[in-house]
Amino acid sequence: MKQKTATLGRPREFNRDAALQIAVKLFCKHGYEGVSIADLTQAMKISPPSLYAAFGDKEALFREALACYQQRPDLPHIEAAGPIRDRVRELLRDSVRAATGPSYLGCLVAAGMLNCAAEYESLAGTLTSIRNSRCEEFQACLREAVARRELPGDADIPAMGRYIAALVQGIAIQAKDGATQAELYALVDIAMQCWPASPMDANQPI
């Protein structure tokens, strides 16, 4: 009698990059604690063992999704060149366009983990570091603007950097709460009215 040999079935294949994009969308929409492993596997159409094999645990998946989110080409950023006032205004207007676009789900950096359980403090700290890094990026641009005399020498650079960051984050949250593009553009216009005058302007003949 011929003995039957057991064969192992092939593991279910899936597109890892596509699955990662699904995770990004879920985390953007619901935050870290609002998404369960069951939510992820159901959306990705894979089993929990396949998810763990591909990404590790949920925290590792979130960190990878966060890195992927930050590499999006449509993520608003401050331009490297040009008058600082124009660069800031365009950053804010880009933030409005992104936040009110048809595919917008939310800002993973601004609202992914504002409040969390104690066991997730390390992960929340990563997001805090990213937000603080953006403030430092804005502050560096502002210091360069002071050196070019586009801003007064006594400008409060730390406060101005946080002001820009607060506007960018606030636009994302306001859009999620239903603010329209026109309303948010008006917010940008009001914010730019508070922008300090350039010292060079004062030296121009009337």
Side-chain angles (χ1 to χ4, degrees):
M1 182 176 177
K2 189 176 179 180
Q3 185 176 4
K4 294 183 178 179
T5 56
T7 58
L8 294 175
R10 293 180 61 188
R12 184 176 181 179
E13 296 180 358
F14 69 99
N15 186 315
R16 190 181 187 280
D17 290 339
L20 181 59
Q21 291 299 326
I22 290 171
V24 170
K25 291 179 181 178
L26 287 175
F27 286 133
C28 280
K29 188 173 183 178
H30 303 292
Y32 180 77
E33 292 186 84
V35 178
S36 66
I37 291 294
D39 295 328
L40 291 163
T41 54
Q42 182 178 2
M44 295 176 182
K45 296 181 172 55
I46 61 174
S47 65
S50 294
L51 184 146
Y52 291 124
F55 299 105
D57 59 13
K58 180 183 168 184
E59 179 176 337
L61 173 56
F62 181 82
R63 291 185 182 277
E64 189 168 346
L66 179 60
C68 181
Y69 174 86
Q70 290 182 276
Q71 293 169 2
R72 289 170 47 204
D74 61 337
L75 197 66
H77 65 280
I78 191 163
E79 295 293 338
I84 188 63
R85 189 179 191 279
D86 294 346
R87 291 158 64 191
V88 170
R89 182 180 62 237
E90 197 56 31
L91 166 70
L92 297 177
R93 290 180 67 85
D94 282 348
S95 299
V96 171
R97 283 188 285 268
T100 55
S103 60
Y104 182 72
L105 293 173
C107 179
L108 189 55
V109 174
M113 282 188 84
L114 289 179
N115 298 301
C116 65
E119 61 263 34
Y120 304 130
E121 285 183 359
S122 174
L123 198 55
T126 298
L127 287 173
T128 298
S129 295
I130 293 172
R131 290 191 291 268
N132 286 336
S133 293
R134 292 212 77 188
C135 283
E136 292 167 5
E137 177 190 359
F138 299 149
Q139 290 165 9
C141 293
L142 295 168
R143 290 189 186 95
E144 293 171 1
V146 170
R148 293 193 302 269
R149 300 194 69 243
E150 294 180 37
L151 288 172
D154 60 352
D156 189 338
I157 299 303
M160 289 182 69
R162 289 204 173 274
Y163 176 66
I164 297 168
L167 287 169
V168 171
Q169 294 166 14
I171 286 168
I173 294 170
Q174 287 290 311
K176 193 170 180 63
D177 286 345
T180 66
Q181 187 176 86
E183 290 170 335
L184 293 173
Y185 278 152
L187 179 153
V188 172
D189 291 341
I190 291 171
M192 297 313 299
Q193 289 173 13
C194 302
W195 194 259
S198 166
M200 291 186 293
D201 294 339
N203 296 330
Q204 295 298 321
I206 298 176

